[in-house]
Amino acid sequence: MLTEQKEKNMGKNYLCLDTGGTSVKFSVCDENGQILSRGKMPVGKTLEEFLNQIQTIYKETTPIEGIACSFPGEVHSEEGVIYGISAVEHLHNCKLKQMISERCDFKKVSMVNDANAAALGEAWLGVGKSYKNIAFVIVGSGVGGAVIENGNLYPGTTMNKAEIGNFPMGGMENGELLCWSCFTLEKEAQKYSRLHQRIVNGKELMALSEKGDKEAAAYVNEFLHYMAIGCINVQFAYDPEIIAIGGGISENPQIIEAICRTYKELVKGQQMEYLQPKIVACEQGNDANLLGALYYFLKYEK
């Protein structure tokens, strides 16, 4: 099950879990964020299957001090419950933190939203470690967000602060407001796929655009347009030192450059032109959620 393993240190080690819609990534980390071992498996399709998976992972990674978890959705760690909407709804509305602890020798467990985890991981050991005020835009099939203010994570009264994917972007479709998450690169690729009746992902859409496919280029430009609009909203809403872009698109420097270029083109000659945000790519990649879950466990979990 473990795909990479280093010799464990003599200090305290922690099991870190990052659960998404299709897989559970896990690692054993020390308290300084060094990853000692790692693995990945498909996420259980039922609550019982998921809990059995976590128990199996735990048994393979002991001894550990505690378990730090990242989940999508409206995650309430103190209550130990996930609410809202996510791709793992079979894990919602139950005492999940308590159940995980019971399966793992009653170890201490923490839970944090995945976008918040990514932000904490980057703020701790990534692109944000030199800044106190950072806005994170995490782009996948949808858009997630998190804000670090004065060096601290502020999830808000209902754990929905910086749920920027819900920012309205103008217009309605089928009776619903169009929001930022409607215009990710993957969503644009789905539009192209429906039009041409073949499956194309975001990377392939970019490649088609670069090869001169005008329809692909139109969808890519729509994605860049709404990324720039979203960053304008983020800059005025939170006034951060940097806007850090995470998710798969952060691995492509040309996309980050194109977002910056589109931003400048949109505001050129307008009153808001004076406000030029610093837009950068995240650095920790797939490890950000694991490291952020650990940081939340160490700093925020009561």
Side-chain angles (χ1 to χ4, degrees):
M1 186 183 298
L2 295 177
T3 58
E4 177 185 317
Q5 192 157 3
K6 300 178 183 178
E7 183 179 352
K8 292 184 180 180
N9 63 14
M10 300 303 293
K12 294 180 179 180
N13 296 322
Y14 302 85
L15 174 59
C16 305
L17 302 167
D18 176 26
T19 300
T22 59
S23 65
V24 180
K25 295 190 288 290
F26 55 93
S27 67
V28 174
C29 299
D30 67 17
E31 55 198 344
N32 296 314
Q34 181 183 9
I35 295 178
L36 307 173
S37 63
R38 70 171 79 234
K40 181 179 179 181
M41 62 168 51
V43 67
K45 296 184 188 228
T46 66
L47 174 59
E48 184 65 20
E49 188 178 326
F50 175 79
L51 292 171
N52 287 338
Q53 286 181 322
I54 302 307
Q55 187 175 35
T56 300
I57 294 169
Y58 167 76
K59 287 179 178 178
E60 288 199 4
T61 54
T62 52
I64 57 165
E65 294 294 316
I67 304 172
C69 303
S70 163
F71 290 105
E74 186 183 311
V75 181
H76 295 254
S77 190
E78 186 171 349
E79 189 178 349
V81 179
I82 304 174
Y83 298 111
I85 300 171
S86 81
V88 290
E89 291 195 10
H90 54 289
L91 305 183
H92 288 211
N93 303 304
C94 63
K95 295 289 185 180
L96 186 59
K97 183 164 76 168
Q98 178 182 325
M99 291 175 177
I100 294 172
S101 180
E102 289 172 352
R103 294 293 184 101
C104 301
D105 296 330
F106 294 93
K107 291 290 184 181
K108 180 180 176 182
V109 177
S110 69
M111 297 165 50
V112 63
N113 167 268
D114 53 0
N116 288 337
L120 288 172
E122 290 288 344
W124 183 25
L125 296 171
V127 69
K129 61 188 177 184
S130 299
Y131 301 94
K132 290 287 188 182
N133 300 290
I134 317 155
F136 290 89
V137 179
I138 313 299
V139 185
S141 58
V143 178
V147 175
I148 303 292
E149 295 178 340
N150 296 318
N152 290 299
L153 173 70
Y154 291 100
T157 305
T158 64
M159 304 295 171
N160 282 293
K161 183 170 183 177
E163 283 292 345
I164 56 178
N166 293 319
F167 279 5
M169 287 295 176
M172 298 186 72
E173 190 173 279
N174 299 322
E176 295 184 2
L177 280 172
L178 292 171
C179 62
W180 194 352
S181 287
C182 298
F183 299 100
T184 63
L185 189 58
E186 290 302 321
K187 293 285 176 60
E188 298 293 347
Q190 290 171 17
K191 297 174 188 176
Y192 183 94
S193 298
R194 288 192 294 270
L195 182 66
H196 291 274
Q197 297 184 336
R198 63 187 179 97
I199 297 175
V200 171
N201 63 30
K203 287 184 179 180
E204 292 166 339
L205 185 70
M206 286 292 299
L208 288 167
S209 174
E210 290 166 3
K211 289 178 181 178
D213 186 320
K214 292 183 179 180
E215 290 175 342
Y219 286 120
V220 169
N221 287 335
E222 184 174 64
F223 156 72
L224 294 171
H225 173 84
Y226 283 104
M227 281 297 298
I229 292 292
C231 287
I232 291 172
N233 289 336
V234 165
Q235 188 65 42
F236 277 102
Y238 303 113
D239 198 21
E241 295 170 85
I242 61 170
I243 297 175
I245 308 291
I249 66 169
S250 65
E251 299 173 4
N252 187 335
Q254 292 180 333
I255 291 181
I256 305 301
E257 291 170 6
I259 293 169
C260 295
R261 186 170 58 250
T262 304
Y263 186 112
K264 291 177 181 178
E265 290 171 356
L266 283 174
V267 301
K268 186 176 181 180
Q270 300 183 48
Q271 290 183 345
M272 63 182 70
E273 185 178 14
Y274 74 93
L275 195 61
Q276 294 289 335
K278 184 176 181 180
I279 301 173
V280 299
C282 289
E283 297 175 347
Q284 287 295 336
N286 289 330
D287 290 337
N289 288 36
L290 296 167
L291 296 172
L294 174 59
Y295 190 74
Y296 186 90
F297 182 102
L298 297 173
K299 182 169 182 179
Y300 292 95
E301 185 67 19
K302 294 182 181 178

